[in-house]
Amino acid sequence: MADLYLGLDIGGTKLAVGIANAEGRVLADAAEPTDPTSRPGDVVEALYRMSQAVCAKAGVGLRDLRAVGISYGGPVDYPAGVTVTCHHLQGWENVPLVRMIAERFGLPAAMDNDANAAALAEAVFGAGRGHTHLLYLTVSSGIGGGIIIEGEIYRGATSMAGEIGHMTVKPDGPVCTCGRRGCLEAMASGWSIARRAQEAAAAWPGESALKRLAEITAQAVAQAAEAGDALALEIMRETADNLAFGIGAGVNLLNPTLVVIGGGVSQAGEVLFGPLREALGRYALKENAQAVRVAPAALGAQVGVLGGVALARSARAG
Ligand SMILES: [Zn+2]
């Protein structure tokens, strides 16, 4: 039988499970809403039950799989295999999740935070195939980041590298979810787009579809921009400029050949990527800007499960 791996995705809103081969082709998968009251032991049991169902669908036994990998929606202590906390759920401080999963599933296990897992998945299965030096950003409600150097996740001394979303891009800027001011997340995430659009719409002298909306969301701004709405295009250009400021610093620091951008905001397409590429030429050194391409993520909704699978492949090798 071909080498098969199990990927587990533990997010704030969703638990997902999938089986894939070493090339990242998903044979079977399943997802359920996360129960916000469930404790770590309950989540392990839910994932085990879901994994058995997915195995049955794929026609394999759990013990036929090579390893299991966990994409976790919060910071982890990677060498210890322990969660630090969770941004969405209570009771997830210092949970030895790698040991719990390895024992319950009877498989070698590995875990990383969701942004690092997604970065690795895009590098080995997605938009980053063929690239050994890659910077990944997920731009959605928040902004997460992952760094791939020589084909491996760069984690730093305490598993906290890659936090590009909390790089300061405007010292006196708006307050971020982390409590500091002017982080990239506060200047370019989904909530930042929505907030800047609301403020701009109130002051905009001309006509704009955004002025007629009861609630302006990032998605609405992207759609209006695509339809040629001048105010929405200005918000997206400003967002792209803020992103390019942070990415430019990352590109000068790391000299990657590819920047992959995933998450809901990346679905805005060329109204975001066009001005972003143009602005990156201003914020990165010429040599670094010439060496790098900016591309949308390729794995879509499967990135969580495939992040787990990518980690599982390294668990097996390690
Ligand atoms: Zn922040």
Side-chain angles (χ1 to χ4, degrees), residues 74-85 94 98 111-112 155 157-159:
V76 306
D77 177 340
Y78 178 80
V82 168
T83 67
V84 174
T85 180
N94 301 314
V98 167
M111 170 175 71
D112 210 330
R155 298 185 170 91
T158 62
S159 311

Side-chain angles (χ1 to χ4, degrees), residues 143 163-168 174-186 191:
I143 295 185
E163 290 289 351
I164 193 166
H166 300 286
M167 281 173 53
T168 306
V175 175
C176 181
T177 52
C178 71
R180 296 158 61 247
R181 276 192 182 275
C183 293
L184 184 58
E185 179 166 309
W191 62 261

Side-chain angles (χ1 to χ4, degrees), residues 108-192:
M111 170 175 71
D112 210 330
N113 72 63
D114 50 2
N116 280 357
L120 187 63
E122 287 290 344
V124 296
F125 302 134
R129 265 189 285 193
H131 292 265
T132 53
H133 293 76
L134 181 154
L135 179 60
Y136 173 83
L137 285 84
T138 173
V139 186
S140 54
S141 49
I143 295 185
I147 298 164
I148 303 293
I149 294 179
E150 292 177 359
E152 307 271 353
I153 297 169
Y154 177 74
R155 298 185 170 91
T158 62
S159 311
M160 281 298 290
E163 290 289 351
I164 193 166
H166 300 286
M167 281 173 53
T168 306
V169 298
K170 192 178 181 196
D172 59 347
V175 175
C176 181
T177 52
C178 71
R180 296 158 61 247
R181 276 192 182 275
C183 293
L184 184 58
E185 179 166 309
M187 303 289 293
S189 65
W191 62 261
S192 160

